[in-house]
Amino acid sequence: MHIRQNEPGLPLYYQVAQSLRKRIEDGTFMEGQNIPPESELEKEFRVSRITIRKAVDNLVQDGLLQKFRGLGTVVTKNMIRDEVHNLEGFTEKMEKQGKKVSSTILSVDRLVPSHSILSFLRLPEGQEVLKISRLRNVDELPLALFHTFIPLWMGITEKEDFSHSLFDIYARHKINPNFSDRTIHAITVDHATALLLNMKDSLAALQMNYCTYDVGDRPIEYAEGIYRGDLYFYKMRVYRSFCDVAGGELHNVHKL
């Protein structure tokens, strides 16, 4: 296969990466299978070794390939990608990727949460909140376990249908999410959680905690999401900010 050198606006490494991506998605390269070595790909696509490496690294970053010392580059599962660019609900984000989303409602209760959760929600000690526990499924596979805590002042009750997007419920109550603070860390789940998430081979997971605010800077939810480490791929882009010594202001510098 010859990659066209003059393809407008498309770097050579990107063209190679797209060709390899297509083979992974159509099953030409199966999960667990090694892709051809760099030397063979270099001859096939008639590009440099550097171009091949950049293309492969691009697919490694997207979770489609993984490099192993002494074993080569192996096709991994087509992991569910969470690329953070703006504030979107889980359902909204997955459906944009063409995935089918469903929820298993585990419990909906009024309770007094921990001191730390009350602090996040800026509520006084002893204040009740609504806690919704849901198993989120993507393409019929259990992906994440969510515990979401909502202040009662929002007017949302146990009678709502929580099997779909919470952001849709917020909209019906004229609550407008504006931004979210997040923390993320690796955890080892307990046996009960592993069973819910159908984690047979590993107990490693990723926990992400969210505190979401409305346009009035009021916290409208605190959520804890536990994601399967073998299916979930979190990706974000950050820019370096430089300080203008003379003016004392921060400016983003984007180098292409």
Side-chain angles (χ1 to χ4, degrees):
M1 177 181 291
H2 179 60
I3 294 296
R4 286 178 287 177
Q5 300 283 337
N6 60 349
E7 185 78 24
L10 294 179
L12 292 179
Y13 82 86
Y14 179 82
Q15 296 180 56
V16 174
Q18 289 300 96
S19 179
L20 295 176
R21 182 190 298 273
K22 183 178 179 181
R23 296 182 196 182
I24 294 171
E25 292 175 348
D26 67 16
T28 302
F29 294 155
M30 301 293 290
E31 179 184 344
Q33 177 184 346
N34 283 69
I35 66 170
E38 291 179 350
S39 58
E40 289 186 22
L41 294 175
E42 185 180 353
K43 292 178 182 178
E44 176 185 350
F45 291 105
R46 302 179 189 176
V47 295
S48 69
R49 184 70 59 92
I50 293 175
T51 298
I52 294 297
R53 287 179 180 173
K54 192 169 183 179
V56 169
D57 287 344
N58 188 270
L59 297 179
V60 169
Q61 289 178 9
D62 283 349
L64 296 177
L65 297 175
Q66 189 170 356
K67 292 182 177 180
F68 294 95
R69 186 182 297 275
L71 296 177
T73 304
V74 178
V75 178
T76 56
K77 291 182 179 179
N78 191 354
M79 301 179 80
I80 296 167
R81 298 188 296 278
D82 187 351
E83 300 190 13
V84 180
H85 303 296
N86 48 44
L87 180 59
E88 295 176 306
F90 181 88
T91 301
E92 180 183 12
K93 186 176 298 184
M94 292 298 109
E95 287 181 346
K96 280 185 177 180
Q97 297 183 33
K99 299 185 180 298
K100 180 182 177 182
V101 181
S102 63
S103 297
T104 303
I105 309 300
L106 302 177
S107 64
V108 180
D109 301 293
R110 290 194 181 201
L111 49 74
V112 178
S114 67
H115 171 78
S116 62
I117 293 176
L118 286 172
S119 178
F120 277 116
L121 294 174
R122 300 178 191 163
L123 295 174
E125 287 293 333
Q127 178 71 61
E128 284 191 335
V129 301
L130 194 65
K131 178 185 178 184
I132 305 109
S133 295
R134 301 182 296 169
L135 187 64
R136 310 306 306 274
N137 309 296
V138 176
D139 291 342
E140 301 182 354
L141 289 174
L143 174 67
L145 174 62
F146 271 85
H147 302 293
T148 306
F149 302 83
I150 298 175
L152 297 182
W153 63 258
M154 294 168 57
I156 298 172
T157 71
E158 301 92 324
K159 296 180 181 179
E160 295 279 358
D161 180 5
F162 294 107
S163 61
H164 302 291
S165 170
L166 285 182
F167 275 32
D168 288 346
I169 296 176
Y170 298 159
R172 290 199 298 271
H173 287 264
K174 302 187 184 310
I175 302 293
N176 299 309
N178 185 35
F179 68 94
S180 175
D181 289 332
R182 304 181 178 189
T183 62
I184 187 169
H185 60 278
I187 62 170
T188 300
V189 300
D190 57 32
H191 182 65
T193 302
L195 287 176
L196 282 172
L197 292 173
N198 196 26
M199 297 170 63
K200 298 178 180 180
D201 300 326
S202 171
L203 297 180
L206 202 61
Q207 179 166 330
M208 191 178 304
N209 298 341
Y210 310 74
C211 193
T212 304
Y213 301 80
D214 69 1
V215 293
D217 196 33
R218 298 176 299 180
I220 59 175
E221 73 170 21
Y222 177 80
E224 297 173 346
I226 300 174
Y227 296 83
R228 285 177 55 167
D230 62 332
L231 289 180
Y232 183 71
F233 183 80
Y234 189 76
K235 180 180 180 180
M236 57 184 169
R237 173 175 291 182
V238 296
Y239 293 99
R240 185 176 180 183
S241 292
F242 293 88
C243 183
D244 182 342
V245 177
E249 296 180 354
L250 292 176
H251 301 278
N252 283 331
V253 178
H254 300 177
K255 291 187 177 181
L256 299 179

